[in-house]
Amino acid sequence: MSRILVTGATGNVGKHVVSQLAGAGLQVRALVRDPDRAKLPEGVEAVNGDLSVPETLEPALKDVESVFLIWPGFAAETARDVVAAIAAHARRVVYLSADVEDLADGESPTLFHQEVERLIRHTGLSWTFLRPVGFAANTLGWADQVRQGVVRWPYGEARRSLIHEKDIAAVAVHVLTSAGHGGGKYVLSGPEQLSQAEQARIIGEAVGREVRWAELPLDVAREQLLAAWGDARFVDGALAGWGAFVDTPERITDTVPKLLGRPALTFRQWATDHATDFR
Ligand SMILES: NC(=O)c1ccc[n+]([C@@H]2O[C@H](COP(=O)([O-])OP(=O)(O)OC[C@H]3O[C@@H](n4cnc5c(N)ncnc54)[C@H](OP(=O)(O)O)[C@@H]3O)[C@@H](O)[C@H]2O)c1
């Protein structure tokens, strides 16, 4: 049977990729940085490795046919060596990218995902890029404020088509376990466009409390994001992106229903699944 290595196996998406693959009876290996801390389903092999130290990946890549790759952080400094190591062992990679444009040779990336994609395209691997829009899970950052009944954040009227992490994982599993996805660049979204103020209200309804929206001044938001992310370019890019969704809502695609044969999960479903995280 062909073994699949899942990176980011403890993260939002990776943990569902691991459990869905294991649930289907497939041979799954999880790349983890701390095997004692990682809670993995029964039967899943955990192997230590760090994407920022490519030479640590050899044991995890041994006898692997496919890799689900995520790229943590905001820079792709070690991506070249990581991608080369994957290409030396595996046949297929499914990369969790973002909704980005292709990067031509010689062109500078605006986001590190473009660079990782370009590196992968230049290998002999069979590759598929998953390009999700914003994750519904980003709203977990509001949890403390939801508990107080007021979400203070910029751009309450920005409309987004946020996607449930389970749908991204389900698409990843579909692509990892079926043929015909080589060269696919799949833009994945949720089924509806909701303003951020509506998202806060829906979370409140799932939790059973009234949640109000209060517009946060941009300079305060920028300061908070800088403290959290530490990367000014990424912060400014994110703020500009959210601002643009006020006039031009984030797009909806039909990729999830086409690939999975069912509608994409709604934000309300996501909020219900995560109600305890907001209580
Ligand atoms: N949020 C969004 O709206 C959005 C939209 C599009 C694309 N994305 C992309 O999605 C990816 C994040 O996915 P996610 O939310 O599922 O992840 P996540 O919940 O942020 O978790 C990160 C995962 O990566 C692992 N990790 C961190 N540093 C590592 C390292 N140096 N070596 C090996 N593993 C490491 C973590 O493992 P530990 O347990 O060891 O910490 C964890 O499993 C990012 O690439 C992001 O750019 C996000």
Side-chain angles (χ1 to χ4, degrees):
M1 217 199 312
S2 41
R3 185 178 281 114
I4 301 170
L5 176 68
V6 178
T7 68
T10 57
N12 291 314
V13 179
K15 68 176 173 224
H16 291 294
V17 176
V18 166
S19 63
Q20 290 176 24
L21 287 171
L26 292 150
Q27 229 180 321
V28 193
R29 180 181 286 163
L31 181 81
V32 293
R33 290 187 296 176
D34 182 352
D36 295 334
R37 204 167 44 87
K39 292 192 194 83
L40 298 166
E42 191 130 337
V44 173
E45 179 194 8
V47 177
N48 217 338
D50 190 325
L51 292 164
S52 64
V53 191
E55 54 276 21
T56 64
L57 300 177
E58 286 295 317
L61 284 167
K62 195 167 178 295
D63 299 329
V64 153
E65 198 210 23
S66 303
V67 176
F68 174 71
L69 178 66
I70 76 141
W71 199 262
F74 303 105
E77 278 136 20
T78 57
R80 180 176 298 278
D81 291 342
V82 169
V83 169
I86 292 171
H89 289 272
R91 197 177 60 73
R92 164 166 58 184
V93 65
V94 175
Y95 176 58
L96 176 56
S97 184
D99 188 2
V100 292
E101 298 292 326
D102 288 346
L103 192 67
D105 289 346
E107 200 184 342
S108 297
T110 43
L111 195 61
F112 63 91
H113 285 298
Q114 295 172 295
E115 179 63 36
V116 181
E117 284 191 0
R118 183 167 59 187
L119 290 165
I120 292 171
R121 280 203 309 267
H122 283 165
T123 65
L125 286 159
S126 168
W127 53 260
T128 307
F129 300 149
L130 307 185
R131 292 175 167 177
V133 301
F135 291 7
N138 294 346
T139 64
L140 288 169
W142 298 340
D144 284 343
Q145 305 190 70
V146 166
R147 287 187 267 276
Q148 309 297 319
V150 187
V151 171
R152 293 191 169 78
W153 202 239
Y155 301 122
E157 287 315 306
R159 300 179 77 78
R160 303 206 62 177
S161 54
L162 301 179
I163 182 164
H164 197 312
E165 61 277 3
K166 274 188 184 166
D167 276 350
I168 305 173
V171 168
V173 168
H174 176 75
V175 169
L176 283 161
T177 56
S178 56
H181 302 289
K185 301 167 189 169
Y186 295 148
V187 181
L188 310 174
S189 81
E192 70 220 313
Q193 290 160 330
L194 294 169
S195 73
Q196 297 206 89
E198 286 167 335
Q199 294 160 27
R201 179 178 50 75
I202 290 169
I203 292 168
E205 286 165 8
V207 172
R209 69 158 60 224
E210 199 176 320
V211 178
R212 185 164 76 69
W213 183 270
E215 205 58 28
L216 185 72
L218 272 185
D219 55 332
V220 182
R222 186 172 188 277
E223 225 168 90
Q224 289 180 8
L225 287 168
L226 264 180
W229 293 345
D231 185 308
R233 193 160 162 251
F234 194 80
V235 168
D236 291 332
L239 281 169
W242 300 335
F245 294 142
V246 174
D247 292 329
T248 311
E250 191 167 45
R251 61 173 154 164
I252 295 176
T253 68
D254 61 0
T255 322
V256 170
K258 267 192 173 155
L259 290 172
L260 300 183
R262 58 149 176 89
L265 297 169
T266 61
F267 185 76
R268 189 173 293 279
Q269 180 65 57
W270 179 88
T272 304
D273 290 349
H274 286 272
T276 49
D277 296 327
F278 291 99
R279 289 206 175 101

